[in-house]
Amino acid sequence: MQGEIIAVGSELLLGQIANTNAAYLSRQAALLGVDIFRHTVVGDNKDRLRQLLIEALSRSEVILITGGLGPTKDDITRETIAETLGIPLIEDETSLLHIRQFFQQRGIAMSQNNQKQAMIPQGAVVLRNPSGTAPGFVVEKDGKEIVVLPGPPSELRMMFENSVVPYFKEKCQGEEKVILSRILKFWGIGESKIDEALSDLFEAGSNHSIAYLFQNCEVQVRITAKGKNSNEALRMIAGVEKIIRARIGKYLFGADDDTVAEIVGRELKEQKMKIAVAESCTGGLLGSLITDTPGSSEFFEGGFITYSNDAKQSMVGVSKKTIGEYGPVSQEAAAKMAEGAAKNSGAQIGISITGIAGPGGSEKDKPVGLVYIGLYWKGKTYVEKHLFMGSRERIKYSAAITALHVVRKFLQSGNHF
Amino acid sequence: MQGEIIAVGSELLLGQIANTNAAYLSRQAALLGVDIFRHTVVGDNKDRLRQLLIEALSRSEVILITGGLGPTKDDITRETIAETLGIPLIEDETSLLHIRQFFQQRGIAMSQNNQKQAMIPQGAVVLRNPSGTAPGFVVEKDGKEIVVLPGPPSELRMMFENSVVPYFKEKCQGEEKVILSRILKFWGIGESKIDEALSDLFEAGSNHSIAYLFQNCEVQVRITAKGKNSNEALRMIAGVEKIIRARIGKYLFGADDDTVAEIVGRELKEQKMKIAVAESCTGGLLGSLITDTPGSSEFFEGGFITYSNDAKQSMVGVSKKTIGEYGPVSQEAAAKMAEGAAKNSGAQIGISITGIAGPGGSEKDKPVGLVYIGLYWKGKTYVEKHLFMGSRERIKYSAAITALHVVRKFLQSGNHF
């Protein structure tokens, strides 16, 4: 099935927020066998939405629409769809009850405006909204499926998983066709090298394709395959993956939703070790990334944000002499910080970051982006020197991700520096 | 002028990344007087892009196109535009020279594929790309401006600021018309209260509109105005802003690009004070947010990531007794953590966060999302209790942002708890 996504909202057109709903819906639609070939954003404007709906109905079998279901006058999606399809809106009693309860439970008076959120095109399948007031709905018209979902991402996602997936699964029984994709994640290999190694694979067959993306110093290679069913698609993906692994497998560190932080967490748990951090230019970002993984208290002890020179001395024992001779951004300081992180917290492993995030703060021989990453284990330290490019936030992020890869490589190599 | 944005890239359609370029370009276009009324994403597909270009040319005066200018076979934007407009591509010598130099400087052999990046539609204005290989260009056709930019956000942004802005400024001399917007940021006021206080203002005049958005516990109210020139638009915005301030000004904390972290930084610098953190469930995120502000070493000492109970004892002096009696997530622990953060780092102010980020870890009377935030100054501590909703990452973020607001309110109130 061919589909498209329409997002309604002036906040998107004004650039106040990015269209993350379209990205989410694209990924989900593929799993249901709906091949998304267009995203469109329009403002909260009846005429423009109507025109776009007419276009979309002429070319797509599935139309996913998000946004504009709120209670205010701005919100015109519901009415515009009903008008364009020539279907009257009727009040859905269950939805109205749900909206009333939503406000009651919160001890807030329900505004008159919220009542219109219970209006649904006649004959539509209502999609319940457990985390908000606006129900969604699916209308069928001339064999096309028009799925309408609220704009807030958390409401949209819950509704999609709870209601839209079962709806489509039931519809598509028998005529299964799915698109699946798998992402392989690489570290330490550049764009030109990927190109060289995989160029013949980019010439996609009709039922599979590969593409790559550089993100946060990591390279993601995406394999996409279409099949009559999941098994067929998965078999195709496995075939391509095998070839890729044979060529550049040594740079592979994960797949799909794997993050380097999670992988580090898993390895630490397996080896029954805990880690501690000492962060200067990243200001705590590395610790924050490590603790994005649920259950991180099993392998993360904590650490020190040694932003000032005083903090480097008092918290992790970088001596005044070291700072005076080599500076706070140096191999020597990074080594001492990693050691102090471990010893002063009781963790087995210490990881440190010290660098110049910019835009100011550069010195002779020490440009913005210069970062030292230190690793301590069993009395030994290891330090890597890096030069990252980009904005302050980008340099911080690159440094933290790189530090995680330093730990990952150490843990996965049988604890060799 | 009416404009639209087209992004080309299968990675967008597959949902691998969100279309942040469209958000950026929308904001920038408004400043040049171009009113964006549609965003569209299509894949790297010649037929679909051609069809979309024909549609866009029929309805928009300005078309901003991004993506698909790379060296690989996938990248079809350049050729498709030239074909659709009926303009031949010719090699631009300066661009070719730039691409050659780009590789030379990096000591990498230039691939034959990169040569095609120097092909530009005849008569187009070439836009230089200081941070990448693909030049952009502007083609005029039947009075319409077609602006073509590379997909990587950093290249796109630099090119837009360096080349597209001056291009349009020169074009539009005399017939100035601009759209400006201003964002007012509020803390501590809910959606229904905003609605109540400002409902009459949402009924926009023809030349201005207001809208609001809840993001990260903060509320953003956006005022947008159209004027013959900047002065006229700014005068309109100021008029609306005055009314809003009169009604809910006490919740206002910033405007436009202000972040609470920056405001805290400014206040600390003015008062010549330094702050230190003690973070448990946020794992360093608060420190990371504080250090996103350039020059934060002037007001940020550093701090402690006291993730484990041992770390809470050894780093910031939360006693075994306190943890045993009240638990690590308690008012008592938060108070002691804030005190320890300040005293053990030498900063005047200590700020602490301890809570349950979930999804596991809840206990009787201590649900997921429960967070205590502590503030220490001159021998006194103050603790706030919060209950945040959502995912682990959302709870971490809400806690860190709320902690910054606790500090902001303290600093802005003449240092009263």
Side-chain angles (χ1 to χ4, degrees):
Chain A
M1 279 186 292
Q2 294 243 310
E4 65 180 278
I5 296 168
I6 295 174
V8 184
S10 300
E11 70 280 13
L12 290 161
L13 279 190
L14 280 157
Q16 239 194 322
I17 52 172
N19 191 5
T20 53
N21 282 343
Y24 169 81
L25 290 173
S26 282
R27 293 194 300 269
Q28 297 302 315
L31 299 176
L32 298 171
V34 179
D35 194 0
I36 297 295
F37 67 95
R38 200 186 265 229
H39 296 170
T40 315
V41 176
V42 283
D44 302 300
N45 178 305
K46 270 199 169 183
D47 290 336
R48 289 194 179 131
L49 178 55
R50 187 184 305 118
Q51 198 185 319
L52 174 58
L53 281 171
I54 293 167
E55 286 171 31
L57 286 163
S58 76
R59 67 189 165 212
S60 292
E61 295 165 86
V62 176
I63 306 172
L64 301 169
I65 303 174
T66 159
L69 297 182
T72 70
K73 294 198 189 77
D74 268 9
D75 298 301
I76 47 83
T77 299
R78 198 180 288 104
E79 296 83 340
T80 309
I81 291 172
E83 276 174 38
T84 309
L85 298 176
I87 301 175
L89 287 170
I90 56 165
E91 193 168 83
D92 179 58
E93 277 180 38
T94 316
S95 295
L96 189 58
L97 192 70
H98 167 74
I99 297 170
R100 288 227 168 89
Q101 283 171 344
F102 184 93
F103 285 100
Q104 255 166 24
Q105 282 164 1
R106 281 159 183 78
I108 307 169
M110 176 179 149
S111 135
Q112 193 57 34
N113 290 342
N114 287 100
Q115 196 150 346
K116 82 164 187 178
Q117 295 187 294
M119 301 298 287
I120 301 289
Q122 197 160 32
V125 175
V126 178
L127 310 172
R128 303 282 158 226
N129 186 346
S131 50
T133 54
F137 54 88
V138 188
V139 209
E140 269 194 77
K141 175 87 179 177
D142 305 332
K144 314 210 161 205
E145 306 280 346
I146 300 124
V147 182
V148 184
L149 302 162
S154 60
E155 296 180 28
L156 172 123
R157 287 171 190 223
M158 199 173 280
M159 190 180 288
F160 199 92
E161 279 151 39
N162 291 350
S163 306
V164 179
V165 172
Y167 176 87
F168 273 90
K169 289 240 157 121
E170 209 187 300
K171 278 269 151 194
C172 301
Q173 271 175 347
E175 42 147 342
E176 280 184 87
K177 185 150 192 197
V178 297
I179 306 173
L180 292 180
S181 64
R182 177 161 167 83
I183 294 171
L184 301 178
K185 298 185 174 179
F186 298 89
W187 175 260
I189 181 168
E191 185 159 14
S192 58
K193 200 147 190 172
I194 286 265
D195 232 356
E196 219 178 278
L198 308 181
S199 64
D200 57 319
L201 299 177
F202 290 116
E203 321 240 347
S206 60
N207 280 324
H208 72 273
S209 64
I210 80 164
Y212 64 86
L213 185 72
F214 278 73
Q215 218 167 25
N216 311 324
C217 320
E218 297 171 351
V219 189
Q220 304 187 353
V221 175
R222 187 191 61 233
I223 312 165
T224 307
K226 244 179 252 191
K228 276 201 295 294
N229 51 47
S230 298
N231 276 346
E232 193 181 279
L234 287 174
R235 222 175 308 124
M236 253 184 284
I237 288 174
V240 179
E241 177 170 345
K242 203 175 155 188
I243 300 171
I244 296 176
R245 280 180 180 259
R247 296 186 192 172
I248 51 171
K250 66 173 174 167
Y251 301 102
L252 187 83
F253 75 88
D256 296 327
D257 292 334
D258 282 345
T259 66
V260 61
E262 268 170 31
I263 294 168
V264 163
R266 279 203 296 269
E267 290 286 340
L268 286 167
K269 266 200 278 191
E270 260 172 43
Q271 299 193 30
K272 295 190 171 51
M273 289 206 284
K274 279 190 159 192
I275 195 167
V277 299
E279 303 187 51
S280 184
C281 65
T282 45
L285 181 61
L286 175 59
S288 181
L289 290 175
I290 293 173
T291 57
D292 278 345
T293 302
S296 50
S297 53
E298 282 181 64
F299 53 82
F300 183 56
E301 188 65 43
F304 305 90
I305 306 174
T306 58
Y307 212 65
S308 68
N309 286 345
D310 285 350
K312 287 181 188 70
Q313 288 176 46
S314 69
M315 294 179 192
V316 289
V318 182
S319 69
K320 217 168 181 162
K321 187 163 166 281
T322 298
I323 290 174
E325 253 171 63
Y326 307 102
V329 178
S330 61
Q331 180 171 332
E332 291 74 11
K336 198 69 199 168
M337 282 168 66
E339 183 183 340
K343 288 192 173 165
N344 298 353
S345 72
Q348 289 91 339
I349 301 178
I351 177 87
S352 69
I353 300 175
T354 180
I356 302 166
S362 63
E363 288 167 38
K364 184 172 155 289
D365 301 330
K366 294 196 177 174
V368 167
L370 176 68
V371 173
Y372 290 90
I373 295 169
L375 181 69
Y376 170 89
W377 186 62
K378 282 197 177 173
K380 277 188 252 174
T381 50
Y382 162 77
V383 178
E384 277 190 11
K385 180 181 173 180
H386 288 270
L387 186 61
F388 301 113
M389 310 293 271
S391 66
R392 180 177 177 87
E393 289 179 32
R394 186 144 202 90
I395 289 169
K396 283 178 65 181
Y397 199 78
S398 301
I401 289 288
T402 304
L404 287 167
H405 280 286
V406 168
V407 181
R408 175 188 62 78
K409 286 188 288 181
F410 167 74
L411 292 169
Q412 290 182 337
S413 68
N415 303 351
H416 283 293
F417 287 128
Chain B
M1 278 187 291
Q2 296 243 309
E4 65 181 278
I5 296 168
I6 294 174
V8 184
S10 299
E11 68 280 13
L12 291 161
L13 279 189
L14 280 158
Q16 239 194 322
I17 53 170
N19 191 5
T20 54
N21 282 343
Y24 169 82
L25 289 173
S26 281
R27 294 193 301 270
Q28 297 302 315
L31 300 175
L32 297 171
V34 179
D35 194 0
I36 298 295
F37 67 95
R38 199 186 266 230
H39 297 169
T40 315
V41 176
V42 284
D44 303 300
N45 178 304
K46 269 199 168 183
D47 290 335
R48 290 196 179 131
L49 178 56
R50 186 185 306 119
Q51 197 185 321
L52 174 58
L53 280 170
I54 294 167
E55 287 171 30
L57 285 163
S58 75
R59 67 189 166 212
S60 292
E61 296 165 86
V62 176
I63 306 171
L64 301 170
I65 302 174
T66 159
L69 297 182
T72 70
K73 295 199 189 77
D74 268 11
D75 298 300
I76 48 85
T77 300
R78 196 180 289 104
E79 296 82 340
T80 310
I81 291 171
E83 276 175 38
T84 308
L85 298 176
I87 302 175
L89 286 171
I90 56 165
E91 193 170 81
D92 180 59
E93 277 179 40
T94 317
S95 296
L96 189 59
L97 192 69
H98 168 75
I99 297 169
R100 288 225 169 92
Q101 283 171 345
F102 184 93
F103 285 99
Q104 255 165 24
Q105 281 165 1
R106 282 159 183 78
I108 307 169
M110 177 178 149
S111 134
Q112 192 58 33
N113 290 341
N114 287 101
Q115 195 150 346
K116 81 165 188 177
Q117 296 187 295
M119 301 299 287
I120 302 290
Q122 196 159 33
V125 175
V126 178
L127 310 172
R128 302 283 157 225
N129 186 346
S131 50
T133 52
F137 53 88
V138 188
V139 209
E140 268 194 77
K141 175 87 178 178
D142 305 331
K144 316 214 159 202
E145 307 279 346
I146 300 123
V147 182
V148 184
L149 302 163
S154 60
E155 295 179 28
L156 172 123
R157 288 173 188 221
M158 199 173 279
M159 191 181 288
F160 198 92
E161 278 151 39
N162 291 350
S163 305
V164 180
V165 172
Y167 177 87
F168 273 91
K169 288 239 158 121
E170 207 187 300
K171 278 269 152 194
C172 301
Q173 270 175 348
E175 41 146 342
E176 280 185 87
K177 185 150 193 197
V178 298
I179 306 173
L180 292 180
S181 65
R182 178 162 165 82
I183 294 170
L184 300 178
K185 297 185 174 179
F186 299 89
W187 175 259
I189 181 168
E191 185 159 13
S192 58
K193 201 147 190 171
I194 286 265
D195 232 355
E196 218 178 279
L198 307 182
S199 65
D200 57 318
L201 299 178
F202 290 115
E203 320 240 346
S206 60
N207 280 325
H208 72 273
S209 65
I210 79 165
Y212 64 86
L213 185 72
F214 277 73
Q215 219 167 25
N216 311 323
C217 319
E218 298 171 351
V219 189
Q220 304 188 353
V221 175
R222 187 192 62 232
I223 311 166
T224 307
K226 243 179 254 192
K228 277 200 294 292
N229 51 46
S230 298
N231 276 347
E232 194 181 279
L234 287 173
R235 223 176 307 123
M236 255 186 282
I237 287 174
V240 179
E241 178 170 345
K242 204 175 155 188
I243 299 170
I244 297 175
R245 279 180 181 260
R247 296 186 191 172
I248 51 170
K250 65 172 173 168
Y251 301 102
L252 187 83
F253 76 86
D256 296 328
D257 291 334
D258 282 347
T259 66
V260 61
E262 267 171 31
I263 294 169
V264 163
R266 279 203 297 269
E267 290 285 340
L268 286 167
K269 267 200 279 189
E270 260 172 41
Q271 300 192 30
K272 297 192 170 49
M273 289 206 284
K274 279 189 157 191
I275 194 167
V277 300
E279 303 187 51
S280 183
C281 65
T282 44
L285 181 60
L286 174 59
S288 182
L289 290 175
I290 293 173
T291 57
D292 279 345
T293 303
S296 51
S297 53
E298 282 181 64
F299 53 83
F300 183 58
E301 188 65 42
F304 305 90
I305 306 174
T306 58
Y307 211 65
S308 68
N309 287 345
D310 285 349
K312 287 182 188 70
Q313 289 175 46
S314 69
M315 295 180 194
V316 290
V318 182
S319 68
K320 217 168 180 165
K321 188 164 166 282
T322 299
I323 290 174
E325 253 171 63
Y326 307 102
V329 178
S330 61
Q331 180 170 336
E332 291 74 11
K336 198 68 199 169
M337 282 168 66
E339 184 183 339
K343 288 192 175 165
N344 297 354
S345 72
Q348 289 90 341
I349 301 178
I351 177 87
S352 69
I353 300 175
T354 180
I356 302 165
S362 64
E363 288 167 37
K364 183 172 155 288
D365 301 331
K366 295 198 176 172
V368 167
L370 176 69
V371 172
Y372 291 90
I373 294 169
L375 181 68
Y376 170 89
W377 186 62
K378 282 197 177 171
K380 277 189 256 178
T381 50
Y382 162 78
V383 178
E384 276 188 12
K385 180 181 173 179
H386 288 269
L387 186 61
F388 300 112
M389 311 293 272
S391 65
R392 179 177 177 88
E393 289 180 31
R394 184 142 204 92
I395 289 169
K396 284 178 65 181
Y397 199 78
S398 300
I401 289 288
T402 303
L404 287 167
H405 280 286
V406 168
V407 180
R408 176 188 61 79
K409 286 188 288 182
F410 166 75
L411 292 169
Q412 290 181 337
S413 69
N415 303 350
H416 283 292
F417 287 127

